[in-house]
Amino acid sequence: MTALRSYVSGAWHTPPDEGAPVYDAVTGEQVARVSSTGVDFAAALAYGRRQGAELRRLTFHQRAALLKALGSHLREHRDELYALSARAGATKGDSWIDVDGGIGTLLSYSSKGRRELPNATTLVEGEPEVLSRGGTFAGRHLLTPLHGVAVQINAFNFPIWGPLEKFAPAFVAGVPSLIKPASQTAYLTARLVELIVESGILPEGSVQLVCGDVGDLFEHLTEQDLVGFTGSATTARRLRTHPAVVERAVRFNAEADSLNCSILGPDGDVELYAAQLVTEMTAKTGQKCTAIRRAFVPRERLAEVTEAVRARLEQVVVGAPLVEGVTMGPLVSLRQREEVRAAVKALGGEVLFGDLDQVRVEGADAQAGAFMSPILLAGDPDRAEPHEIEAFGPVSTLMPYESAEQVVDYAARGRGSLVGSIVTEDLGFAREVVLGLAPWHGRLLVLDRTDAKESTGHGSPLPVLVHGGPGRAGGGEELGGVRAVKHHMQRTALQGSPDVLTAVTGVWTPGARRAEDVHPFRKSLAELRVGDTVTAGPRQVTDEDVAHFAEFTGDTFYAHTDEAAAAANPLFGGIVAHGYLVVSFAAGLFVAPEPGPVLANYGLDNLRFLTPVKPGDELTVTLTAKQISPRENADYGEVRWDTDVTNQNGESVAKYDVLTLVAKEAR
Ligand code: NAP
């Protein structure tokens, strides 16, 4: 058997040596060999950086569309990935988390990229900051993709989801990835990367793969590269203190192990609690960084919970993952089982369920595969071990607590976790415990009878929410929607005149030049430029207008209708026009009524009424094209218009962004 190939510098590399063996978790047969001998790491990084230029030429929307195509392509190969995954011990349910979860993450980032990012190659963040009295000097935050490679080191337990959840935000940002899977399951990631490369969907160089150890890769990291690591706290510590990482301040994100807790409230539903605990103990055979390791229950409910959990653990069927009825497969390897057994011994405590040395196995040779029984331990929360030792298998420790304050203290002894859950119907308890736990957790789930049915569960990181945790959990943050994309970009505070800010960012900044010729609503997306403006007005607001608007809409709030009451209002001191009347009049002023390239108004953003409008005031509106974002697969795009409504004294009475859809070509 030849060792797995790596994909570096645009070609498949076959190692010249045999490499180290990897074994099937179920049968113990050799399933692959792994070696990175002969990989030129410096060249691979340099190649990735060069190819990054290609990727950066694409817009966020173009990259997002490629992710979608890739997700669909991988979906066609699910069955193959599921079959391979079973060799690592994964049941169908486990593979669903890994394979479908990974594809789902690609699709989620594709959708986020198209909806929340502009069709551009750079990003501006927040509103401009005016830095001078005269308005000639302003600042705003500009985000550009780093010019390096995102080196992604993954743990063995999620060979598909792990690489994909790191790759997706890097790709949307415009940064190429170099994926290094854990050796024990590298054959799955290798097949994934083969599928990606064979598809030809991504620009060449977007993804590289190194199977085997990383050799001198870290020596060649530069200031523009990033490292995304998932694995044990020990490896994380070693890598983040690598001299190259330290000296060159390489952006380093770590997702490490953590002793996640689940807390049953004094009134919480025991069945919900027990069901979730058993799911977390057995899904992926407990080899999940988010699994529940510490189960806290009120002391007086300990016996009740023990029985409920035991009853559910009795139902667990251990065996070959593809055999009908099996609900929990083996651990990934015999070595991993030895590590889990050693950790259970070190944890100590009475065994409430399970047997460390024996287990009934369905459909496989119990001696050959890495099978083990789920183990429920009784723990003393005042001892250090349950808060320090991670048994990375189907193992959890049940512990009593006396009060909300005490359980918060116990939870914090884990010194930082990825996730915690609280099962309670009591909102006061939920609030107290959540606020106590939050500084120690990256994610918190409150489970009750209302959300239980639809909840995605304790163990599932979601692409739209932050994944990661403080302290022992690695101190990193992954996912969380667009925030993970931004992690791969440099945020620069750009200072200059409004014209400079507009020219650089492509987003019109107040104070910048405006062009007023043809009405901008008569221009197609091809003709329209940022800064194109129409000024319309004035129009006087009369008493009759206000009274008519009140009657017509039914908005007869006293400030618009009752002279005496309005006079007593400390903000108005008399009748004022409705804010929506002002907005409606503004629309009436700036509209170009005949059919043309503007197809629809789909909303307003950031509407603020700044100065009251009184009958007799005269309104003028200035509408300026602020941002133009053509859609990739449609014959129109979005235009955001800066809108400023002023009165006869030049004071702004309302400011907002009008959002429209505009045809790409003249109609
Ligand atoms: P690990 O031994 O720390 O390995 C993790 C990764 O680091 C593997 O790809 C490994 O490659 C690589 N690695 C090891 N030593 C290295 C070195 N000196 N230089 C560069 N790379 C090195 O962890 P694991 O056993 O695979 O995974 C289990 C652990 O990961 C558990 O503790 C679990 O809690 C944690 N985990 C955390 C998360 C999370 O999101 N926070 C998710 C999953 C797992 P080789 O396999 O080739 O050695």
Side-chain angles (χ1 to χ4, degrees):
M1 186 181 279
T2 53
L4 294 172
R5 297 180 302 167
S6 291
Y7 186 72
V8 281
S9 301
W12 287 101
H13 167 82
T14 306
D17 57 355
E18 281 196 337
V22 175
Y23 300 104
D24 186 308
V26 184
T27 62
E29 291 162 9
Q30 205 182 112
V31 60
R33 302 190 71 87
V34 180
S35 163
S36 64
T37 304
V39 170
D40 184 339
F41 290 99
L45 286 173
Y47 174 78
R49 287 182 207 116
R50 267 200 315 280
Q51 295 302 109
E54 189 89 359
L55 201 49
R56 290 195 297 276
R57 266 193 281 279
L58 301 179
T59 64
F60 294 116
H61 288 199
Q62 289 167 335
R63 292 178 210 135
L66 293 179
L67 274 193
K68 188 171 176 195
L70 183 64
S72 308
H73 173 73
L74 293 178
R75 204 169 253 169
E76 287 166 23
H77 296 270
R78 278 171 83 236
D79 292 348
E80 184 191 347
L81 294 173
Y82 268 55
L84 263 187
S85 188
R87 303 201 70 176
T91 61
K92 224 170 163 189
D94 296 340
S95 296
W96 183 80
I97 303 173
D98 192 30
V99 177
D100 294 67
I103 295 171
T105 302
L106 289 187
L107 298 178
S108 173
Y109 268 93
S110 170
S111 153
K112 286 258 161 205
R114 278 173 292 130
R115 280 161 209 252
E116 295 177 27
L117 298 175
N119 197 5
T121 54
T122 61
L123 204 55
V124 287
E125 195 179 55
E127 290 303 309
E129 297 287 341
V130 179
L131 301 173
S132 69
R133 197 171 293 170
T136 61
F137 186 56
R140 84 183 304 178
H141 290 108
L142 171 71
L143 277 80
T144 50
L146 287 170
H147 283 204
V149 172
V151 173
Q152 299 157 358
I153 301 179
N154 293 290
F156 72 80
N157 53 343
F158 287 108
I160 304 292
W161 176 83
L164 292 181
E165 62 100 23
K166 288 189 177 68
F167 159 74
F171 183 77
V172 173
V175 176
S177 299
L178 186 150
I179 298 170
K180 156 37 200 152
S183 294
Q184 289 185 86
T185 51
Y187 55 94
L188 265 150
T189 312
R191 183 62 193 133
L192 170 75
V193 173
E194 271 176 12
L195 290 171
I196 294 175
V197 172
E198 283 165 13
S199 77
I201 291 170
L202 304 183
E204 169 48 38
S206 304
V207 174
Q208 298 188 81
L209 168 78
V210 172
C211 296
D213 73 58
V214 295
D216 64 355
L217 177 120
F218 272 62
E219 311 291 334
H220 304 290
L221 292 175
T222 68
E223 300 75 11
Q224 289 287 310
D225 299 318
L226 307 97
V227 176
F229 171 81
T230 302
S232 62
T234 318
T235 314
R237 195 176 317 120
R238 184 175 314 142
L239 296 181
R240 68 151 43 104
T241 55
H242 188 286
V245 173
V246 176
E247 276 164 29
R248 295 165 206 159
V250 175
R251 226 173 259 190
F252 190 94
N253 190 82
E255 300 290 320
D257 52 35
S258 86
L259 292 153
N260 313 293
C261 68
S262 181
I263 298 168
L264 177 68
D267 67 328
D269 184 319
V270 170
E271 287 309 318
L272 273 186
Y273 184 80
Q276 173 171 268
L277 178 56
V278 171
T279 299
E280 291 302 320
M281 287 174 72
T282 55
K284 296 281 299 178
T285 320
Q287 300 165 113
K288 273 195 332 185
C289 52
T290 50
I292 299 168
R293 304 289 173 208
R294 298 178 295 157
F296 295 107
V297 303
R299 186 176 291 283
E300 65 280 8
R301 306 191 71 184
L302 203 52
E304 182 193 358
V305 174
T306 307
E307 279 325 300
V309 178
R310 266 195 190 134
R312 286 177 181 269
L313 287 174
E314 305 273 4
Q315 309 297 317
V316 174
V317 181
V318 177
L322 298 181
V323 167
E324 194 63 33
V326 166
T327 56
M328 190 174 94
L331 290 161
V332 74
S333 66
L334 293 172
R335 201 185 75 200
Q336 186 64 23
R337 187 173 65 181
E338 283 325 299
E339 283 189 18
V340 175
R341 283 178 173 161
V344 170
K345 285 179 185 147
L347 274 166
E350 182 196 347
V351 177
L352 296 172
F353 182 93
D355 185 324
L356 209 47
D357 302 312
Q358 293 192 48
V359 62
R360 188 189 145 84
V361 172
E362 297 295 329
D365 176 352
Q367 301 310 314
F371 298 98
M372 83 174 274
S373 127
I375 304 276
L376 182 68
L377 299 170
D380 173 357
D382 286 312
R383 291 185 46 177
E385 290 84 349
H387 307 292
E388 287 176 1
I389 298 169
E390 182 197 41
F392 201 58
V395 183
S396 204
T397 303
L398 198 56
M399 292 177 278
Y401 73 86
E402 311 283 348
S403 65
E405 198 184 346
Q406 189 185 48
V407 79
V408 164
D409 173 56
Y410 285 150
R413 294 187 196 184
R415 307 186 73 176
S417 297
L418 293 168
V419 55
S421 58
I422 302 135
V423 180
T424 183
E425 305 294 320
D426 178 340
L427 298 181
F429 181 83
R431 182 170 193 277
E432 182 177 357
V433 175
V434 164
L435 294 183
L437 297 189
W440 302 97
H441 286 80
R443 180 163 63 84
L444 287 169
L445 159 71
V446 180
L447 192 66
D448 58 22
R449 293 185 195 116
T450 306
D451 66 8
K453 208 162 167 204
E454 292 194 305
S455 159
T456 47
H458 172 108
S460 306
L462 300 175
V464 294
L465 296 177
V466 161
H467 172 54
R472 176 172 179 155
E477 260 192 19
E478 269 179 7
L479 299 175
V482 165
R483 64 176 57 228
V485 176
K486 291 182 179 176
H487 173 73
H488 296 83
M489 305 180 81
Q490 178 59 41
R491 181 178 290 102
T492 304
L494 174 65
Q495 296 172 292
S497 71
D499 279 336
V500 167
L501 297 193
T502 300
V504 174
T505 62
V507 181
W508 186 81
T509 305
R513 232 169 276 164
R514 291 180 157 115
E516 205 162 352
D517 45 27
V518 180
H519 192 298
F521 279 14
R522 305 246 64 90
K523 293 184 181 178
S524 69
L525 226 50
E527 297 156 337
L528 190 69
R529 298 286 172 270
V530 157
D532 283 354
T533 298
V534 58
T535 308
R539 170 168 184 172
Q540 193 174 58
V541 179
T542 64
D543 284 317
E544 293 72 39
D545 290 333
V546 177
H548 173 71
F549 195 79
E551 190 193 331
F552 178 55
T553 62
D555 180 353
T556 52
F557 184 60
Y558 73 89
H560 313 305
T561 51
D562 181 336
E563 188 65 61
N569 180 303
L571 298 179
F572 302 139
I575 293 277
V576 290
H578 304 68
Y580 303 122
L581 171 61
V582 172
V583 170
S584 304
F585 274 2
L589 289 172
F590 65 59
V591 72
E594 297 78 23
V598 176
L599 305 175
N601 168 4
Y602 72 96
L604 299 180
D605 265 359
N606 311 320
L607 172 61
R608 285 289 177 282
F609 299 120
L610 301 164
T611 310
V613 173
K614 302 209 161 153
D617 283 353
E618 291 184 349
L619 303 181
T620 299
V621 60
T622 308
L623 188 84
T624 308
K626 183 174 181 180
Q627 191 170 21
I628 302 172
S629 196
R631 283 203 188 169
E632 276 308 309
N633 297 316
D635 50 11
Y636 59 88
E638 280 108 29
V639 180
R640 177 179 288 268
W641 304 85
D642 179 90
T643 313
D644 187 9
V645 187
T646 50
N647 62 19
Q648 63 284 359
N649 303 321
E651 297 165 310
S652 289
V653 301
K655 282 192 180 205
Y656 47 101
D657 287 353
V658 170
L659 311 172
T660 59
L661 299 178
V662 178
K664 283 183 176 170
E665 301 299 335
R667 288 158 48 86

